[in-house]
Amino acid sequence: MLFAFDLSLESQQGFDAVVDMFENSFFAKLITWGLVSCLLYHLFAGVKHLIMDCGYCEELESGTLAAKVTLGAGVAAVILSGVWVW
Amino acid sequence: MVTNVTTITSFGRSGLYDWMIQRATAVVLLVYTLFILGYVFFNPDMDYLQWRALFDQTWVRVFSLLALLSVGAHAWIGLWSVSTDYIKPTGPRFLFQVICGTAMFAFLVWGVQVLWGL
């Protein structure tokens, strides 16, 4: 991703190369989709932890609910980023 | 059990310091991720000039550097906890941490070069 970032800022040609890569290269799409999905899931789980640090969702019921919400958001992220990338 | 070898490889002096840095960097990365993903999502047909202009602004470069450093600290603390949990023998664990550290250093230098080496 850093490679794409570096290339995209380097020059007009670099930028076009990156755009082309994201549109046509199966490999780049797979990596991007995987990375974005993992990042978003990690992000949601992290937010859940921050919430728990504030003292919420620490009992059995609320904790389980928070976990399910996080998983749900994660699944949604995989699907949405998939639609976005493909 | 946290032995002296484990302690010296941790990010901060104390577990509490690591805990705090982990949360602080997480918030920075949360905001940065939303910023970048939001920008790319809401500018689907942006051209090179617009993308370049975004990163020509000093505040975006500084924010990106902050995010880059945050990734370093966040990842180090995270991976340190993972490695001390799962890689019990000291030798392989230390090797794992050196590899992670070197990779992080490389990404950091590369990132700074991209941001300011333009």
Side-chain angles (χ1 to χ4, degrees), chain B residues 16-32:
Chain B
L16 189 59
Y17 179 74
D18 286 4
W19 181 87
M20 189 271 294
I21 290 290
Q22 188 83 347
R23 267 70 183 169
T25 51
V27 171
V28 169
L29 291 171
L30 173 65
V31 174
Y32 189 77

Side-chain angles (χ1 to χ4, degrees), chain B residues 26-64:
Chain B
V27 171
V28 169
L29 291 171
L30 173 65
V31 174
Y32 189 77
T33 304
L34 295 181
F35 168 66
I36 290 292
L37 276 187
Y39 188 88
V40 174
F41 186 77
F42 291 110
N43 294 282
D45 43 21
M46 71 176 163
D47 60 5
Y48 172 64
L49 296 176
Q50 187 184 348
W51 177 247
R52 178 61 190 268
L54 173 68
F55 282 93
D56 277 342
Q57 298 167 92
T58 310
W59 73 271
V60 171
R61 284 188 181 181
V62 170
F63 191 18
S64 304

